[in-house]
Amino acid sequence: MHSPSRKDFVSLTFTGSGNYNSKQWKRQSCWRKWKQLSRLQRNLILFTMALMLVCGIATYPTVTEHFRGLTVVVKEEGGHVLKPVIPEVLPESDKQNQLLVPEPPSEQKRAPDKRGPPGLQNRLQKKGNGSDIQVEENQIQEAKKADIEEGEKPLVNRRGALIEADQATEGGTAKEAENKVDVPAVEQEDHSHKEPVDRLEAVRDAFRHAWKGYKEFAWGQDELRPISKSYGEWFGLGLTLIDALDTMWILNLKEEFEEAKTWVSTELSFNKNVDVNLFESTIRILGGLLSTYHLTGDTLFLDKAKDIGTRLMPAFNTPSKIPYSDVNIGKGTAHPPRWTSDSTVAEVTSIQLEFRELSRLTQDTRYQAAVDEVMQKVHKLEGKQDGLVPMFINTNSGQFTHLGVFTLGARADSYYEYLLKQWIQGGKKETELLEDYLQALEGVKKNLLKKSSPNRLTFVGELSHGQFSPKMDHLVCFLPGTLALGVHHGLPADHMELAKQLMETCYQMYAQMETGLSPEIVHFNMHEGSIRDVDVKLADRHNLLRPETVESLFYLYRFTKDRKYRDWGWEILQNFNKYTKVSTGGYTSINNVRDPEYPSPRDKMESFFLGETLKYFYLLFSDDPELVSLEKYVFNTEAHPLPIWPSAE
Ligand code: DMJ
């Protein structure tokens, strides 16, 4: 059967050359159109096509590199530009210079999987596809190399995405800003192919970054709130600036020091109607001014120290001569906290180094007499257990209160520290102080020292009415350093063994956390068969940028020269940079050291981060034992070095 469709098909085939879908028709049509164009139009089209061809050839490598991830978009003055991620090959001369910088020590070459017990490692791995993590790490490292080449700090958020500094918190509420807190590039953990790093310079960089935030958003105020780019007031006395003065001097940050000094000389006034805490203002302000005076020889700081010291003296006008916690430095009045007439034992027994030194410098004995009287009274008090002291003392009766509870953490910690340090400061003559210190250490060994399971870490727990609790504050990590300092000054060698064991424990409080940063409080497991040594309660997971572990690492390194202490410190510094650094300036305390995905910034940079933590990092990495010699100085509990008195005094 011959169907009509077949006819159509034949007809179509017959007219094939006129098919407007055919290539030949298109060619003919284009050619006809081309011939219809004027000469000018033809030249214009030819020129445009030639231009496009040239541009295409020129940009081909850049575009393909970008799609292959070899470049990053970097904001520069005048707009965003593409930067190569792979650094250019160094000229031969530069390569040689690089080799002059010593390789990081071999102990650093730690496999990344060494952090924490297996339980923790599993948790970390579960958080994502292993290969995804590896890709992110590679991107971060590549981006970091590119930024280093550009001479600027790379900015990478928690998930590894490059972000612009300006975008981190700008224009948002504090809450929005929290979600955007960013961190710099992750440091490689495998140090075998790591660039040599100048650790001292890394600390100076960290200080500069913290100072940048303080200067821009909190200048002359007590504390920086780096996320909300604002500040917090406590006493209204420029606490961070004063706490950081001697750190700048020690880190040789001259420019920063000079601008701070100008503020002290032109803006700082203690003639203010404000309530200040006696202990905090003594260790941070009086201590900071005295040590800066000693380091610089500039009497501006001594005058200011005398002013604040004198204004704090009304605190000692109590029935018992045990000082009140609060003083109004403008009115000259003092009072206990509203809810009690108790003071904290650590607070009234950790102001001695500063007031004693003020007396020595001014030849005015009133300061020393007041604080020595406190020590003499506490020395004789009932209520201690094997040299351990309760946490509270009543300003009316002069007696300990809340008996039967003993800790080396909050509210008691620096009592023990200052027993030893006053003895050192005074030329090792005040034997009562030494006796109390040695007895207290025996009390610690007998009542508070235990081992964890499974790794048998030595830790210092707490005692409450005979009941032991395996709770240890991060604050207790001052103890390894203090023990080592005592041995350096001639105390029994077995204290050094204990110092080393506790140092390991304090390091593990960092290393066993997912962020590599210690929580505020840990609970050690003591039951046989425990999976991990350390548990952390939900409410205790914060990190306030505290110094105690770094402080102890500094002492342990100074006295033993064991490089592992430096490497532990280096690890901790990198984790501060990774999880607490805010791109727009400053560092923030965080809420959750167990969540590396979202450590949850608290929007506060404590003054002791500059006063203590960064200073101890610097001293830990410095090879110069004369940089704040421990033969000449004793650090107060806020890391302000005060001179050991010459033996004649
Ligand atoms: C500092 O103010 C001092 O080190 C004090 O003795 C304890 N608390 C902080 C740091 O953690």
Side-chain angles (χ1 to χ4, degrees), residues 279-280 283-284 413-414 475 546-548 608 612 637-638:
F279 164 73
E280 298 291 357
I283 64 170
R284 301 186 199 211
D413 49 356
S414 44
L475 288 167
R546 284 196 190 278
E548 290 76 17
F608 51 68
E612 297 193 67
T637 191
E638 188 76 5

Side-chain angles (χ1 to χ4, degrees), residues 104-118:
S106 56
E107 293 96 318
Q108 263 186 317
K109 296 177 183 170
R110 231 181 58 141
D113 63 355
K114 289 269 175 67
R115 168 163 294 148

Side-chain angles (χ1 to χ4, degrees), residues 65-74 83-88 134-150 152 154-156 160 162 185-188:
E65 267 177 19
H66 184 53
F67 284 113
R68 279 158 48 208
L70 300 178
T71 54
V72 289
V73 180
V74 177
K83 293 277 174 194
V85 170
I86 298 173
E88 283 163 19
Q134 193 51 54
V135 170
E136 278 190 355
E137 290 285 311
N138 291 342
Q139 285 169 344
I140 293 162
Q141 293 306 330
E142 285 174 358
K144 184 170 178 243
K145 281 184 203 161
D147 279 326
I148 287 166
E149 194 185 26
E150 288 305 305
E152 62 184 43
L155 295 170
V156 181
L162 284 170
V186 180
E187 296 286 345
Q188 289 176 339

Side-chain angles (χ1 to χ4, degrees), residues 307-362:
D307 188 11
I308 185 68
T310 308
R311 288 172 186 275
L312 292 172
M313 287 300 282
F316 296 91
N317 294 335
T318 69
S320 65
K321 302 288 181 241
I322 301 297
Y324 289 131
S325 60
D326 296 280
V327 194
N328 186 304
I329 52 171
K331 290 187 189 160
T333 54
H335 59 88
R338 236 174 271 137
W339 58 92
T340 175
S341 54
D342 288 352
S343 286
T344 300
V345 170
E347 292 195 357
V348 302
T349 57
S350 312
I351 49 179
Q352 278 65 19
L353 292 177
E354 299 81 357
F355 279 96
R356 283 155 49 114
E357 177 60 10
L358 186 59
S359 271
R360 192 180 74 94
L361 289 171
T362 59

